[in-house]
Amino acid sequence: MLATEANFDGLVGPTHNYAGLAVGNLASQSHQAQASNPREAALQGLAKMKALHDLGLVQGVLAPLARPDLKTLRCLGFVGSDAEVVTAAAKASPRLLAACCSASSMWVANAATVTPSADAADRRIHFTPANLASQLHRALETEHTARILQATFNDSRHFVHHPALPAVATLGDEGAANHTRLGHSYGEPGVALFAYGSGGPGPEPSRYPGRQALEASRAVARQHRLDPDRVVFAQQHPDAIDQGVFHNDVIAVGNLDTLFCHERAFFNQSQVLADLDARLDGRLQLIQVAENEVALADAVRSYLFNSQLLRVPDGRTLLVVPAECEQVAPVWQYLQSLVSHSPIIDAVQVFDLRQSMHNGGGPACLRLRVVMNADEQVAFNQGTRMSDTLYPRLVDWVRCHYRDRLLPADLADPQLMDESFTALDELSRILQLGSVYPFQC
Ligand code: SUG
């Protein structure tokens, strides 16, 4: 059946800030304690969504989670009214409060692993919310993300929602950021590439955690009823993780039968590529970038590979990159020559996503890919579909509710909680999600 790739982007929440919470993520560490601009962050993300919608792609919006996470703060022993809970947490542990206030749900490439119906034995789209077990602020997302996904993909004839895996490091699951679906078309069975950073036979990283565990990838492949002959498990290169490649989508991106990656993305890379090629009947289209073309450190600084590789309806292949690629000279030179000489990539489009990038989130982190056929495209919650009318509504909503400056210390302000909940209450109506937020129950 004819199918296409839809992109669902995470809308940046009102508490977007730089608390330096993410271990192994160099951008998050280096921007710690700087002032953020939540309004600009949300508008930058919306501009990308609208631009892709304008290109004729199916574009959806995933709502942000309610922050602060009061349930977790209460579980951690803070008591009293909601405002008193926030104030007590700020006094006792600003770091715990920051974890409970993080807007990290914007990086929806970590929301879930998604399998297209063409690849699943029961011909339905499968979702497993990621447990994000390796970082506290991210592990708090899972339960609420599952609710947002269920409200967005809300038709059990087409969409299957699995429980998240148990949240322990040996089953650490980072979702689609470590999963790539390749195939000759969207509508026929494809190949699932699962990249893991820990728990495999090869050497582990020594400096930073390998967030995705092999056992987790195997479990998700079983849940989604994938054909074992169409799955490849590949180890992320431990040296790359130690240089800041905390997710595989920082060093590789694939779409259809194309894989664009750095030569040091995977351990035993030549074997991984041979396995993929074999499963794609010898038709893998590889763009492998050598260290002497773009050094791994420059790839991490620019987020060259955290790009979106898109087949647009006019048949062109587009690479959507962050503006940081223009600022790292070898990367920009590489991109110029790629567009002039590669028969695969037709154009490069640059987006300013600086607010998210300063926390280590590029274009690919901000989107969850869902391959859908025509029936599935009308079965998801159409209130979440980007359109010429939804875009200005969301822009007005952001302008009305979001602050333009936030320091981690401002998270102690109970007024920020009230502003956020008011904004999200209204958003749930705009996106027709129903009562998805805990404060609405
Ligand atoms: O998990 N940053 C996120 C960035 C996630 C990027 N996603 C993908 N590569 N798919 C992370 O490291 C920073 C939050 C802070 O420091 O306040 C953060 O969580």
Side-chain angles (χ1 to χ4, degrees):
M1 197 184 217
L2 213 58
T4 191
E5 177 190 278
N7 284 272
F8 285 77
D9 278 42
L11 186 50
V12 179
T15 59
H16 160 63
N17 73 95
Y18 300 124
L21 298 175
V23 181
N25 171 340
L26 306 184
S28 153
Q29 299 296 295
S30 65
H31 292 95
Q32 177 168 12
Q34 292 190 6
S36 65
N37 183 335
R39 184 186 301 166
E40 187 177 63
L43 293 176
Q44 287 173 347
L46 280 168
K48 173 165 89 76
M49 295 184 224
K50 177 64 162 55
L52 299 196
H53 160 73
D54 288 343
L55 284 170
L57 294 161
V58 180
Q59 177 69 55
V61 184
L62 286 172
L65 304 186
R67 293 290 179 261
D69 178 347
L70 290 168
K71 183 177 163 194
T72 297
L73 288 172
R74 288 185 189 282
C75 160
L76 294 171
F78 301 110
V79 294
S81 67
D82 292 349
E84 284 164 352
V85 163
V86 170
T87 306
K91 220 181 256 163
S93 174
R95 198 133 177 104
L96 277 183
L97 179 64
C100 292
C101 286
S102 177
S104 53
S105 68
M106 73 176 87
W107 301 298
V108 293
N110 306 116
T113 307
V114 185
T115 288
S117 53
D119 299 352
D122 63 355
R123 296 290 177 260
R124 292 190 292 168
I125 299 182
H126 289 244
F127 296 84
T128 298
N131 63 24
L132 298 166
S134 85
Q135 320 267 328
L136 171 64
H137 68 292
R138 303 235 49 191
L140 302 180
E141 294 170 33
T142 310
E143 177 190 342
H144 304 281
T145 292
R147 277 214 218 172
I148 299 285
L149 289 173
Q150 282 166 20
T152 307
F153 302 97
N154 54 349
D155 183 337
S156 58
R157 286 171 306 164
H158 296 286
F159 308 115
V160 186
H161 294 275
H162 296 278
L165 305 178
V168 290
T170 45
L171 285 172
D173 177 17
E174 301 281 319
N178 277 52
H179 168 257
T180 302
R181 192 264 184 183
L182 297 160
H184 302 306
S185 77
Y186 294 120
E188 296 159 291
V191 174
L193 168 62
F194 286 91
Y196 61 90
S198 65
E204 301 270 325
S206 52
R207 200 161 173 218
Y208 296 133
R211 296 192 195 184
Q212 178 80 32
L214 172 58
E215 279 305 348
S217 300
R218 286 185 175 144
V220 172
R222 279 191 296 270
Q223 280 185 332
H224 291 203
R225 304 180 64 190
L226 295 177
D227 175 352
D229 292 336
R230 293 184 161 276
V231 176
V232 173
F233 297 103
Q235 185 181 343
Q236 292 173 260
H237 204 300
D239 296 349
I241 294 177
D242 281 338
Q243 286 191 53
V245 180
F246 54 97
H247 288 135
N248 187 245
D249 68 3
V250 174
I251 206 67
V253 58
N255 183 31
L256 291 167
D257 47 18
T258 299
L259 183 67
F260 175 46
C261 66
H262 193 271
E263 68 175 352
R264 297 177 67 208
F266 303 102
F267 188 65
N268 273 339
Q269 183 139 325
S270 50
Q271 187 59 52
V272 171
L273 298 174
D275 288 350
L276 281 175
D277 190 46
R279 281 164 180 75
L280 288 163
D281 320 310
R283 284 150 65 201
L284 173 67
Q285 306 248 38
L286 179 65
I287 309 174
Q288 183 172 228
V289 183
E291 179 72 20
N292 65 12
E293 292 175 285
V294 174
L296 198 106
D298 283 342
V300 172
R301 257 193 314 148
S302 64
Y303 263 42
L304 166 64
F305 297 98
N306 198 262
S307 44
Q308 286 180 260
L309 187 57
L310 299 166
R311 175 68 53 85
V312 285
D314 65 13
R316 287 179 315 139
T317 296
L318 185 67
L319 195 68
V320 165
V321 301
E324 282 70 6
C325 286
E326 287 180 314
Q327 288 143 25
V328 179
V331 169
W332 193 238
Q333 273 160 25
Y334 172 80
L335 281 171
Q336 302 301 307
S337 87
L338 182 70
V339 176
S340 327
H341 301 115
S342 156
I344 305 174
I345 311 283
D346 298 300
V348 169
Q349 192 161 341
V350 178
F351 283 90
D352 178 1
L353 297 164
R354 195 167 6 154
Q355 286 292 325
S356 166
M357 283 289 289
H358 283 183
N359 254 338
C365 304
L366 287 162
R367 62 98 166 91
L368 183 67
R369 296 188 282 188
V370 186
V371 168
M372 290 195 279
N373 63 35
D375 294 341
E376 294 154 354
Q377 281 173 47
V378 291
F380 76 88
N381 180 341
Q382 299 296 300
T384 65
R385 190 175 185 139
M386 182 49 74
S387 67
D388 293 346
T389 48
L390 181 61
Y391 176 70
R393 259 190 106 181
L394 290 176
V395 167
D396 287 350
W397 169 81
V398 169
R399 290 213 169 104
C400 167
H401 293 285
Y402 280 51
R403 296 190 186 185
D404 61 5
R405 184 179 157 84
L406 205 61
L407 283 165
D410 298 327
L411 302 173
D413 176 6
Q415 179 67 32
L416 178 67
M417 172 183 64
D418 292 341
E419 288 166 19
S420 300
F421 291 178
T422 302
L424 296 183
D425 192 39
E426 191 179 322
L427 181 70
S428 66
R429 283 190 294 278
I430 296 175
L431 298 179
Q432 298 165 30
L433 293 171
S435 298
V436 272
Y437 291 115
F439 61 79
Q440 292 174 317
C441 298

